[in-house]
Amino acid sequence: MTELDDILEHLRRARSESLETIDLLRASRQKAEEQAKQLESPKAVLEYIDAFVKIFDEGAAELERVIEELPEGPKRDHLDALRQIASNGAAEQRRCLIFRDKWINRPLPYEQ
């Protein structure tokens, strides 16, 4: 197995895991919709989930593009795309902390 094969395998795994995460997020969204009356702000929860579905979807699409193009030879935009995916992930950590502090780190009416 060549170094390129190793890189492609890693990228395929990352894309697969992104798609699995999207499926989990969509299932969580459906559950949140079903239990909306028990949530203090169902709109905030749905927007939070939707934002991450979009991020993972865009990341998976970019990974697919890089996976398809990389065997023709690495290009600068492949590296830029991977850096952007990593940067987006790091930036979204702040969204997680804000959501946690605003909606989770306090007593809720329905603690179940």
Side-chain angles (χ1 to χ4, degrees):
M1 189 176 255
T2 68
E3 188 173 324
L4 178 59
D5 291 332
D6 288 342
I7 292 169
L8 287 170
E9 179 58 30
H10 180 76
L11 294 174
R12 285 184 189 106
R13 194 171 337 120
R15 182 176 180 277
S16 176
E17 290 171 355
S18 295
L19 295 174
E20 289 172 14
T21 300
I22 291 168
D23 289 341
L24 288 170
L25 286 166
R26 287 186 174 141
S28 295
R29 188 184 202 290
Q30 182 177 354
K31 188 174 181 181
E33 287 173 330
E34 291 166 1
Q35 299 178 354
K37 290 182 182 181
Q38 293 182 346
L39 299 172
E40 186 174 349
S41 180
K43 182 180 176 190
V45 171
L46 297 176
E47 288 173 355
Y48 182 76
I49 292 171
D50 290 344
F52 281 97
V53 167
K54 182 177 185 244
I55 290 163
F56 277 96
D57 191 48
E58 290 171 355
E62 273 299 286
L63 288 169
E64 181 63 24
R65 182 184 68 79
V66 172
I67 290 165
E68 288 176 5
E69 295 176 2
L70 197 55
E72 299 168 11
K75 297 178 184 154
R76 176 85 176 163
D77 73 313
H78 298 149
L79 184 57
D80 291 343
L82 297 175
R83 280 189 181 132
Q84 186 63 52
I85 290 169
S87 176
N88 290 350
E92 291 309 315
Q93 183 177 12
R94 178 155 171 75
R95 181 192 308 258
C96 293
L97 296 174
I98 291 169
F99 185 85
R100 179 202 66 194
D101 292 344
K102 184 172 183 177
W103 298 109
I104 297 173
N105 278 352
R106 60 195 182 83
L108 298 173
Y110 301 97
E111 283 294 327
Q112 15 173 337

